[in-house]
Amino acid sequence: MKDLITRLDPKLQHLLARAAALAADVGATLWLVGGVVRDLWLELPIGRDIDLAVEGDINQLIVPLADAWDGTITARHPAFGTATITVGHWVIDLAQTRTERYPKPAILPEVQPAPLTKDLYRRDFSINAMAVQIIADGDQLLSAPLIDPLGGVADLTARRLRLLHDQSLRDDPTRLLRGVRLAARLQLTPDAATAAQIADALEAGYLALLSPERIQTELCLTLEEPDPAAVIALADQWGLTPHVIPGLHWTPALAERLSRYRQDTSEISRLAPDGLVIAGLVLYDLSDDALTQVLHRYHLPAPARNLIQDLIALRPHIATIAAATSPSAIDTLLQPYSIAAIAVLHYATETSIQQVVSRYLHEWRPLRPPLNGDDLRHLGVPTGPQIGQLLRRLRAATLDGLITDRTTAEQWVRRHLVDS
Ligand code: CTP
């Protein structure tokens, strides 16, 4: 029997020991549940999200627990018997043990308090339906046996993904997206019944019943996976991708560019947020129509919207970028676009363009001409639009090596003033 609890961070163990004492005071029992139990068993690192199930009246526990932990209640849904308390680094989700009833597919369930075993059964996959009781002696968290009524350990050992009941994907189609993430991350294979349920759910079109926001949340979680490429490859294999991003296919070219990005340690790989660049690389081969559909379907945050719009605008110019003969010409072409879009271009295109884009990002984009607007005024340029125009031309001349320092810049401005 593995001692799971002692693998937890000592500070978290301390918090849980306090929680056990408070739960006992109100006659409730606390259980560690969900992905943390699975990951403890697998001896994987434990993240900041901790799920606790409360068998008993959760409402008597939330405020005393937040006080005892010196934490903040960041969410509370009395109708669902759930709350979130943030304590330092940890985000601790508490939920009353319950059964769920889904009156219609893909909507939020009606919940009823129920014992732990029923709560475990209403969950998505066997490997996520295990629990460990939180019991303590004073400040000391005590080890407790793994509660695994649905065969989670056997499935983990066999690397098997198994849904717990036949209505699971109809009730909550996000489980298709959760399943593919989990299967890719932990290298699991659906058992025959689960594979059949996945195929049936896709054929029934259950994903289309979800709100775009719920799908989007799952897509963002995919981008945060240790290996998003593996998730996309598997999603394509399962036939999921046309339901979430029509036109998206796993191809050798996509695999190649994601691995190029993953292996790159240059400064370019750190210029834009990881998830944004990966999203851009994944979407890069989609047609303009398919990209526009993504923009219409999802309410993407501004950086992601801008990235997609930039890709639509930028892709037709690739041949021009390859043919451009001066740094200033490339600067003029690329300057209007976001760094993320240009980084995507860097990893998505062939070597000759990559080299140009790399020089643009490293040398040309950060370059500032030796004179600024104030300097131009001191040299006699009248205040007004001419300053901006001249600064742009000064920058272009600096990029092309016609201006090398302050002196050549001042000479250039004076010459320009005489000519104009
Ligand atoms: N759960 C479920 N059905 C869902 C979402 C969650 O049954 N649609 C249950 C599972 O038991 C899951 C737990 O709620 O393990 C916690 O969900 P969540 O925190 O979203 O994911 P984890 O499984 O903890 O793990 P990870 O973040 O590693 O994917």
Side-chain angles (χ1 to χ4, degrees):
M1 162 70 66
K2 294 192 189 194
D3 186 3
L4 301 178
I5 288 287
T6 51
R7 281 204 57 244
L8 290 172
D9 183 294
K11 284 196 202 117
L12 182 61
Q13 288 192 40
H14 184 71
L15 292 176
L16 294 179
R18 301 217 50 195
L22 283 174
D25 288 349
V26 298
T29 310
L30 273 188
W31 303 90
L32 189 64
V33 287
V36 176
V37 180
R38 175 198 72 215
D39 291 345
L40 281 173
W41 195 88
L42 287 171
E43 298 181 18
L44 292 174
I46 303 303
R48 54 205 287 271
D49 294 316
I50 309 294
D51 286 296
L52 294 180
V54 181
E55 211 173 4
D57 184 1
I58 189 173
N59 291 319
Q60 288 189 55
L61 203 55
I62 296 167
V63 174
L65 207 50
D67 287 347
W69 281 346
D70 206 8
T72 311
I73 301 172
T74 42
R76 192 170 178 178
H77 304 286
F80 287 100
T82 60
T84 305
I85 303 179
T86 307
V87 198
H89 154 89
W90 286 286
V91 179
I92 303 184
D93 281 325
L94 294 133
Q96 179 131 31
T97 51
R98 83 271 307 283
T99 51
E100 288 175 345
R101 199 179 79 82
Y102 290 80
K104 276 201 251 165
I107 62 162
L108 293 178
E110 291 166 4
V111 303
Q112 277 279 318
L116 177 81
T117 39
K118 289 214 164 139
D119 181 278
L120 293 179
Y121 182 67
R122 58 106 192 155
R123 291 171 185 264
D124 50 6
F125 302 103
S126 63
I127 58 168
N128 286 344
M130 300 184 284
V132 178
Q133 191 176 348
I134 304 290
I135 38 174
D137 181 6
D139 275 356
Q140 184 76 34
L141 200 59
L142 300 178
S143 68
L146 179 72
I147 307 294
D148 178 23
L150 297 155
V153 163
D155 285 339
L156 278 179
T157 310
R159 296 275 156 191
R160 196 161 47 215
L161 185 73
R162 187 164 56 82
L163 284 161
L164 293 176
H165 47 94
D166 10 329
Q167 295 301 307
S168 186
L169 299 178
R170 173 196 171 277
D171 290 347
D172 182 355
T174 62
R175 289 171 172 170
L176 286 159
L177 302 166
R178 292 173 57 80
V180 77
R181 278 206 319 273
L182 213 50
R185 192 194 315 154
L186 303 177
Q187 280 137 39
L188 309 174
T189 308
D191 71 343
T194 301
Q197 279 170 262
I198 292 170
D200 290 350
L202 291 175
E203 197 176 328
Y206 289 147
L207 278 170
L209 303 175
L210 288 172
S211 70
E213 288 75 13
R214 290 188 68 195
I215 297 187
Q216 199 175 314
T217 305
E218 300 296 328
L219 296 181
C220 289
L221 290 170
T222 298
L223 295 175
E224 288 166 19
E225 282 290 318
D227 186 3
V231 183
I232 298 160
L234 197 61
D236 198 29
Q237 203 181 313
W238 285 15
L240 274 174
T241 45
H243 297 265
V244 284
I245 302 184
L248 175 63
H249 294 291
W250 182 250
T251 61
L254 173 52
E256 224 273 307
R257 79 174 71 114
L258 284 171
S259 114
R260 195 184 305 149
Y261 174 64
R262 205 179 153 89
Q263 281 163 24
D264 187 30
T265 51
S266 78
E267 216 180 293
I268 298 181
S269 68
R270 294 187 296 276
L271 285 175
D274 219 29
L276 202 55
V277 178
I278 295 173
L281 292 172
V282 170
L283 297 174
Y284 190 80
D285 286 330
L286 261 65
S287 66
D288 287 358
D289 277 353
L291 287 179
T292 310
Q293 263 191 52
V294 172
L295 287 174
H296 284 149
R297 179 164 175 189
Y298 299 109
H299 298 285
L300 300 176
R305 292 196 81 75
N306 292 342
L307 172 66
I308 293 178
Q309 279 157 350
D310 282 357
L311 290 181
I312 294 173
L314 192 51
R315 289 184 307 191
H317 296 301
I318 289 182
T320 327
I321 295 168
T325 49
S326 66
S328 66
I330 291 163
D331 186 64
T332 309
L333 272 168
L334 293 181
Q335 219 193 7
Y337 302 107
S338 61
I339 286 275
I342 297 167
V344 168
L345 193 69
H346 174 77
Y347 294 105
T349 51
E350 59 198 62
T351 324
S352 60
I353 298 170
Q354 274 171 30
Q355 282 165 353
V356 175
V357 173
S358 166
R359 287 201 70 189
Y360 169 76
L361 286 169
H362 279 127
E363 299 171 39
W364 305 331
R365 189 162 173 129
L367 185 135
R368 297 285 163 267
L371 303 178
N372 61 24
D374 283 342
D375 297 325
L376 294 191
R377 264 189 295 278
H378 287 132
L379 286 167
V381 182
T383 308
Q386 207 189 340
I387 298 248
Q389 283 161 17
L390 215 53
L391 277 175
R392 276 190 291 282
R393 292 180 56 192
L394 194 65
R395 178 179 157 77
T398 313
L399 282 168
D400 293 341
L402 305 173
I403 289 168
T404 49
D405 54 19
R406 229 181 137 82
T407 315
T408 48
E410 286 175 1
Q411 284 163 356
W412 185 91
V413 173
R414 290 207 180 89
R415 227 174 20 251
H416 177 87
L417 284 175
V418 173
D419 291 348
S420 61

